[in-house]
């Protein structure tokens, strides 16, 4: 996976079909669209993992999400 950086444009990665997570990922990608990474930080429990704070212009909202769930659309 490409190392995501602050300022990169990202959107929700679509998992492999049959995992039961495809529909929610597709819905999130449709609803939120492309986002801009505002910051990165370690968060979560068991195990701690890298999380991104992402601003979505389409909805004008900011969300935190695990880096592993995102894919880069365009990089600086």
């Amino acid at each position: 996976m490409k190392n995501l950086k602050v300022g990169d444009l990202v959107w929700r990665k679509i998992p492999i079909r049959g995992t039961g997570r495809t529909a929610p990922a597709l819905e999130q990608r449709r609803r939120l669209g492309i986002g801009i990474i505002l910051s990165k930080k370690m968060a979560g429990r068991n195990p701690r993992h890298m999380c991104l704070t992402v601003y979505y212009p389409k909805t004008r909202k900011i969300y935190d999400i695990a880096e592993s769930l995102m894919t880069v659309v365009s990089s600086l």
Side-chain angles (χ1 to χ4, degrees), residues 6-24:
V6 171
D8 284 353
L9 298 179
V10 294
W11 66 357
R12 183 68 159 77
K13 185 184 295 182
I14 305 302
I16 298 169
R17 293 176 67 109
T19 62
R21 296 181 179 165
T22 303

Side-chain angles (χ1 to χ4, degrees), residues 1-11 13 37 39-40 50-52 54 65-75:
M1 178 173 87
K2 182 178 171 150
N3 188 17
L4 302 176
K5 304 178 302 291
V6 171
D8 284 353
L9 298 179
V10 294
W11 66 357
K13 185 184 295 182
I37 299 175
S39 66
K40 292 175 70 169
M50 185 59 67
C51 287
L52 307 173
V54 180
I65 187 166
E67 181 179 46
S68 63
L69 297 177
M70 302 301 284
T71 189
V72 71
V73 174
S74 180
S75 184

Side-chain angles (χ1 to χ4, degrees), residues 17-48:
R17 293 176 67 109
T19 62
R21 296 181 179 165
T22 303
L26 285 169
E27 188 281 328
Q28 188 179 43
R29 185 184 275 193
R30 181 198 58 75
R31 182 173 42 89
L32 298 175
I34 293 173
I36 303 164
I37 299 175
L38 300 179
S39 66
K40 292 175 70 169
K41 62 185 173 216
M42 292 299 289
R45 297 186 197 176
N46 291 336
R48 290 179 57 81

